[in-house]
Amino acid sequence: MNTNKLHTAEARIREQAAAYCAANHVPGFVAGVHHAGEQFVVAHGTANVTTGAPMLEDTGFLLGSVTKVLTTTLVLQQVDRGVLDLDTPVVTYLPEFALNVPGAADKILVRHLISHTNGIDADLYFPDAKGRDALKTYVAGLASGCGTLFEPGEQLSYSNGGMIVAGRLLEVVTGLPFSELLARDIYTPVGMKDSSTSAEQAILRSTAIGHFPDPETMEARPTGMFTLPDTWGPAGGTPIGTVADLLAFGRTHLAGGVSPSGTRVLSAGSAALMQQVSYDLRSPNTPPMGLGWVRYPFGDTTVLAMSGASPGGVSILCVIPEHDLVLACFGNTPGAILLQDQLLQWLLSEHLGVPIPTLITETEQDVDLAPYAGTYRSGQLRIDVSVVDGQLEERAAYEPADASQERIFTEFAGGTTAAPPQRYVPIRPGLFAPAGYPLEAFDGYLRLLLVSYHDVRDGQARFRNGGGRMTRRA
């Protein structure tokens, strides 16, 4: 690795982070790159606008859904040990697992939980429970409160519920609470020395909090909720780490399951299995899914990635096996995801010389929009789709199941749960882009903003897919 080249990348990321944060009211940002045996971490700005604490290179932050790759690694460890089998029904190990559709849970295999193909309709299910029985409480609530979106293996839909059930499954087969298992079998052998599993642990060291833009001034204001409930731990609610710790975890997967210290964390076969395609929806807005990892194609180069939203913050972990590179970032407002996308594309195109082809090259004008109009639902989300002026117009509404879940979701969303109507222009039948965006905006991570429709029968689409999440025609 050319040291000067890495220094150039460090200077570029430091400069770009400072400029973006200043222009977009992002209080703080921290990023790190490991490439071919060398690495750097840069930090900018403020970790908490209330206290004025600086964002440091070793400041901790909520991992958010990056945790899902850690949870998947824990599941594969138990497969390596012969405790779990991926193609065995979950109820074999977790008999109390049930949904409100009789017999539906019986069809879900362990593999479906970690490949986002389980169909559990629980993406916005937020039971409020703490402590050792939090995940047990979550699974118990599924039986009366949550159904299915599709048959297991039929579709791909990003699944918080699947990962939380996987976390409870791990508790049952190991006899350890998820937080203790995470610390014992991931943090310790990987060398994630500054990572923690609770706010009580995080308060003992430098830790960032999230912020939301004030609707009127756009200035960042601190979140009123640091973490989601303990029930969301395995999906990303509570684990906290640093950029250096995430780089160490990414390097472990680069090295076929061997940590930077030489400890075997995962078998080479299981590490490879996580990176292989487990399901491909064959739609530009939803990259192929591995186990835990999402496989973003940039031409012939694959970026293994997972991003993570927390209350007022966003993290990302990217592993590029073909180029021995790991990128980890955190910004403490939701808009920092745009900066993360810019940095990833710059590293690919300028630092690594990877051509980034245009994902969407043209649009079609004469697309029949009738099959896509209608109402789509998943859990507590309703999306009404209508045809207006040759475009699709979507109105999304959050319909809380109870006051507790409304409170949690509202705090998680920064107080704003109602979105204005959004227009979409057709790219081709079944694929639409938000109006007003240049097509090149979707070449990177923001391809998730595209919306697709699937399984058209009798002139009507059965599913709408936005952000990797399915809703089903009502």
Side-chain angles (χ1 to χ4, degrees):
M1 173 65 203
N2 186 323
T3 301
N4 289 335
K5 191 175 181 183
L6 199 66
H7 286 166
T8 299
E10 179 179 354
R12 170 61 185 254
I13 289 176
R14 191 182 302 277
E15 176 185 324
Q16 195 162 340
Y20 185 93
C21 289
N24 296 279
H25 306 286
V26 179
F29 191 79
V30 59
V33 173
H34 179 91
H35 186 201
E38 299 186 55
Q39 75 179 44
F40 64 83
V41 178
V42 301
H44 172 82
T46 306
N48 182 334
V49 299
T50 301
T51 65
M55 186 76 83
L56 305 172
E57 293 179 7
D58 64 348
T59 293
F61 51 85
L62 284 156
L63 303 183
S65 288
V66 172
T67 303
K68 291 180 171 69
V69 191
L70 281 65
T71 299
T72 301
T73 302
L74 287 170
V75 170
L76 269 295
Q77 286 177 338
Q78 297 306 316
V79 172
D80 286 343
R81 294 165 189 169
V83 175
L84 291 175
D85 181 90
L86 291 177
D87 295 311
T88 295
V90 175
V91 292
T92 303
Y93 308 105
L94 192 62
E96 65 267 34
F97 172 47
L99 299 168
N100 67 9
V101 178
D106 299 349
K107 305 174 186 177
I108 298 175
L109 310 180
V110 175
R111 181 186 302 276
H112 293 139
L113 297 179
I114 55 177
S115 62
H116 300 273
T117 56
N118 50 76
I120 299 171
D121 190 3
D123 208 47
L124 295 178
Y125 176 51
F126 293 99
D128 194 5
K130 294 182 179 296
R132 296 177 71 94
D133 289 333
L135 303 190
K136 183 178 181 180
T137 299
Y138 182 97
V139 170
L142 290 175
S144 59
C146 298
T148 59
L149 283 168
F150 49 79
E151 290 290 309
E154 179 192 17
Q155 296 284 350
L156 176 69
S157 184
Y158 186 86
S159 177
N160 289 305
M163 285 292 171
I164 299 170
V165 173
R168 177 58 184 156
L169 172 63
L170 287 164
E171 290 186 332
V172 169
V173 300
T174 66
L176 286 177
F178 177 80
S179 58
E180 292 182 20
L181 185 67
L182 181 64
R184 186 193 75 178
D185 286 1
I186 299 291
Y187 290 171
T188 297
V190 170
M192 300 173 70
K193 61 183 180 63
D194 292 321
S195 292
S196 56
T197 59
S198 68
E200 290 81 3
Q201 293 174 358
I203 196 66
L204 301 176
R205 60 182 315 282
S206 172
T207 304
I209 69 164
H211 303 76
F212 292 96
D214 183 277
E216 294 181 2
T217 67
M218 297 307 293
E219 293 291 332
R221 54 179 175 80
T223 176
M225 176 175 68
F226 178 51
T227 71
L228 285 167
D230 289 356
T231 51
W232 269 54
T238 52
I240 297 156
T242 64
V243 159
D245 284 352
L246 279 186
L247 291 177
F249 180 76
R251 291 172 62 190
T252 300
H253 279 270
L254 269 183
V258 178
S259 77
S261 68
T263 303
R264 170 65 68 182
V265 177
L266 192 64
S267 72
S270 288
L273 184 62
M274 286 179 63
Q275 299 182 22
Q276 294 169 11
V277 175
S278 64
Y279 195 98
D280 188 354
L281 196 61
R282 302 190 184 282
S283 185
N285 60 325
T286 304
M289 179 64 65
L291 296 180
W293 293 112
V294 183
R295 294 171 45 95
Y296 283 83
F298 288 87
D300 296 329
T301 298
T302 296
V303 176
L304 307 171
M306 181 59 74
S307 67
S310 53
V314 62
S315 62
I316 195 168
L317 176 64
C318 300
V319 173
I320 310 175
E322 296 157 67
H323 293 276
D324 193 20
L325 188 142
V326 183
L327 166 69
C329 307
F330 171 78
N332 56 5
T333 62
I337 193 169
L338 296 171
L339 173 58
Q340 294 169 358
D341 188 31
Q342 291 172 12
L343 295 181
L344 173 60
Q345 291 197 60
W346 182 86
L347 283 168
L348 284 167
S349 61
E350 301 299 325
H351 182 68
L352 297 176
V354 172
I356 300 179
T358 302
L359 187 69
I360 306 297
T361 56
E362 57 186 4
T363 61
E364 292 185 27
Q365 303 300 317
D366 299 323
V367 175
D368 181 9
L369 304 182
Y372 316 113
T375 296
Y376 299 80
R377 290 183 179 272
S378 65
Q380 299 167 65
L381 178 67
R382 169 180 171 152
I383 300 175
D384 293 306
V385 182
S386 57
V387 178
V388 180
D389 299 330
Q391 301 177 347
L392 291 184
E393 181 175 273
E394 295 190 349
R395 296 175 179 265
Y398 172 60
E399 300 176 336
D402 54 54
S404 174
Q405 293 191 61
E406 181 177 20
R407 174 184 57 80
I408 293 167
F409 180 75
T410 301
E411 291 183 356
F412 177 65
T416 303
T417 59
Q422 174 67 56
R423 293 281 187 93
Y424 288 85
V425 297
I427 296 172
R428 61 174 185 250
L431 184 65
F432 298 83
Y437 282 74
L439 293 182
E440 60 269 20
F442 310 116
D443 291 345
Y445 205 78
L446 296 188
R447 65 189 71 185
L448 293 176
L449 294 178
L450 300 171
V451 167
S452 58
Y453 292 82
H454 301 270
D455 197 3
V456 177
R457 301 183 187 181
D458 301 322
Q460 291 189 326
R462 286 181 65 209
F463 297 100
R464 172 197 176 273
N465 176 9
R469 292 168 164 85
M470 289 287 190
T471 48
R472 186 177 59 194
R473 181 178 290 274

